Amino acid sequence: MLPYVYQVTKYDPADRDQRGSYTGAEEAVSDHGPVEAAYLAAVAAFAEDTGVRQLAVREPQVAPGFVHFGLEPAIEGGGLAGLFPPDLTGYHDGATVPLTVGLELVRAMLRDNGAWCRLEVEDTFAVHVGWDQYVYVGSAVPCEAALARTRELGLFPEPLEASPYDVELDESGAQRPADDDFWARVRTCVATGEAALLEEMHLGNASRWHRFGEGSLAAVRARLTPRARLAVWPDLSTDVGAVLAALPEDGLVEFVWEEQDGRITSVVADEDEFQAVAARVAGARAAALLAVYVDERTPLFTAVLPDDDGVVRARWGTEPTPSDRAWAFLRTLRRGQTVTGTVTGIADSGVTSVDIAGFTATIDLPELSRRPVDHPGDVVAVGRQVTAVVLDVDLVRERVQLSLRALQEDPTGQDA
C-alpha cells in the first residue's frame, strides 16, 4: 500500500452536504476540454514528482456491448484507437506503456469510452480512475509540488488512507499457473477426447476461443496474451441442431461456434437475440451453449499464464473448478508423507480408494500389506480410517498412490 494517496476531483469540498454527497453544479461527465486537460496535467505532475516515466497496465478491461463503465456510452474500440493496434496487442496485464500513453488511457477512462485499467508502478505510483470523474493518485513520496500544481489547475486534492480501487487480492488459495504440468494435463485431456477447447480471457469482460486440432496445441500456446486467464472446456458439438434445440426460453446464454473457415466466435445473447444469433450459428461446423453466470460455468480446469520466469504476477484469477481444488491439494503432498484417510471403495481389480481431505487416492493390492493378500477385504473395509504413506503424486493425471505396506514392519526381519 502506498503511503501517500490523494483523491483528485473537480468537485469543491465546500459543495457537500452533511452526508458528504456533492451538491454543486459540476457535471459528473468529462467536458472533453479544459477540466479534462486539468486532470491529465495533475496526473502528470504527480508522476513527475515521483520520477515516473512509464506505467504498467494492470487488470485491463473493455466494455461488452450491453455494459458501459459510466454515464457516457462506450464507443467502438473503447477509446484505445491510436494507442494500440485494432486487436489490442500490447493492452494486457503487465504491459508497460510510456507516461504519454498512460495519460491517454486516463483520458479514455474519464470519458467512459469503454476501456478501464489500473495504471501502476509497483510500490511506487498508482493512478485509478473511478466513477463520476474521481481520480485517485498514490505515490511513495509526498508530492508537495504536484499538490500545489493540482490546486492551481482548479482541482481539489484530498488525502486518503487508500484508493477505493486498490486491487482486492484473494488469499483463499493459490492460483493455478499455466506451467508445464498444466499443459501436460491439457495434452492428456485432448488425447483422450476429454477436452478440445480453450477459453483465453485476455481482458476483463473479453475472451478469445481456440479449438485444439491435430498437433495445434503448441501453436495455440504460442499466441496467447501474457498473463491471460485460461479455461479448458470439452469440445464443441458437431450436432449444431441439437445445440440450438437446447436453447432456454429466456435468460443470458453464451453461444460459441466454429465457422466454416475455422474461426471461433462467441456471442452473449438474451431471449430477444436468440433467433438472430441462432441463424448465424446454424451453418457452423460445431457449436456449444455455455452459462454466463460464474456459479453456473463449468470448465474442466483453469489457470493463469505466468511470466517468462515462471512466476504468476497476474493479480486476477479464475473461479476454481473441482480439478483446480484438487491441484491445490496435490501441491501440499510429498512422496514419503504420512496421511490419514477413509476407505471409500474396493474395486474388483483389487484397487482400494481412500478419501484424503476430499481427494480420492488409491492403494494397489501389493501395497496393502507386507503379507500375501488375495483381496483388499482381508485388510481394509469401506468406512475404515487408515494411515498410509504417499508413494507418488501425479499432478498431470491428478492421481495419488498410497501404501499401507510402507508403515508396516517386515515380518521376515529383513528390514533390520
Side-chain angles (χ1 to χ4, degrees), residues 373-397:
V373 175
D374 294 326
H375 188 271
D378 299 335
V379 179
V380 296
V382 173
R384 174 184 166 187
Q385 190 174 74
V386 295
T387 299
V389 170
V390 176
L391 286 185
D392 186 56
V393 180
D394 188 335
L395 289 171
V396 174
R397 293 174 176 81

Side-chain angles (χ1 to χ4, degrees), residues 206-276:
S207 293
R208 285 193 283 251
W209 293 85
H210 311 272
R211 195 179 185 195
F212 297 123
E214 186 70 26
S216 67
L217 193 150
V220 169
R221 183 177 178 182
R223 62 176 181 263
L224 295 175
T225 303
R227 298 190 183 179
R229 295 157 294 166
L230 308 178
V232 179
W233 294 84
D235 198 4
L236 301 174
S237 171
T238 56
D239 190 347
V240 176
V243 171
L244 296 179
L247 271 170
E249 293 185 3
D250 54 29
L252 283 175
V253 171
E254 182 167 16
F255 293 77
V256 183
W257 71 95
E258 184 178 35
E259 306 276 9
Q260 289 297 329
D261 61 5
R263 289 180 297 116
I264 307 291
T265 302
S266 69
V267 170
V268 175
D270 62 18
E271 60 274 12
D272 294 332
E273 302 163 307
F274 283 172
Q275 186 173 356

Side-chain angles (χ1 to χ4, degrees), residues 19-20 35 83-84 122 139 178 183 191 196 223 225 240 245 267 309 323 377:
R19 294 176 298 176
V35 177
L83 301 179
F84 302 96
E122 187 174 6
S139 177
W183 290 110
R223 62 176 181 263
T225 303
V240 176
V267 170
D309 60 2
S323 176

Side-chain angles (χ1 to χ4, degrees), residues 6 25 30 46 77 85 91 168 180 207 237 267 286 292 294 302 304 307 345:
Y6 304 96
S30 175
F46 279 100
Y91 182 63
E168 296 182 7
D180 288 343
S207 293
S237 171
V267 170
V292 171
V294 169
T302 69
V304 171
D307 290 351

Side-chain angles (χ1 to χ4, degrees), residues 313-366:
R313 293 187 177 87
R315 299 181 302 204
W316 55 19
T318 59
E319 291 294 321
T321 67
S323 176
D324 299 330
R325 287 187 282 269
W327 166 84
F329 174 67
L330 294 183
R331 288 176 65 248
T332 69
L333 299 180
R334 298 291 182 272
R335 291 180 182 179
Q337 179 179 346
T338 300
V339 296
T340 300
T342 302
V343 176
T344 57
I346 298 173
D348 292 339
S349 62
V351 175
T352 300
S353 299
V354 179
D355 179 280
I356 50 172
F359 182 86
T360 299
T362 59
I363 307 175
D364 290 337
L365 186 63

Side-chain angles (χ1 to χ4, degrees), residues 55-58 60-62 76-106 108-109 115-119 202-203 208 225:
L55 296 165
V57 173
R58 301 307 311 266
Q61 302 180 33
V62 292
E76 186 175 354
L80 303 178
L83 301 179
F84 302 96
D87 64 357
L88 298 186
T89 297
Y91 182 63
H92 61 79
D93 187 69
T96 300
V97 298
L99 179 60
T100 52
V101 173
L103 292 175
E104 289 304 314
L105 286 169
V106 171
M109 289 185 274
W116 189 89
C117 65
R118 296 177 177 89
L119 294 166
H202 59 302
L203 297 170
R208 285 193 283 251
T225 303

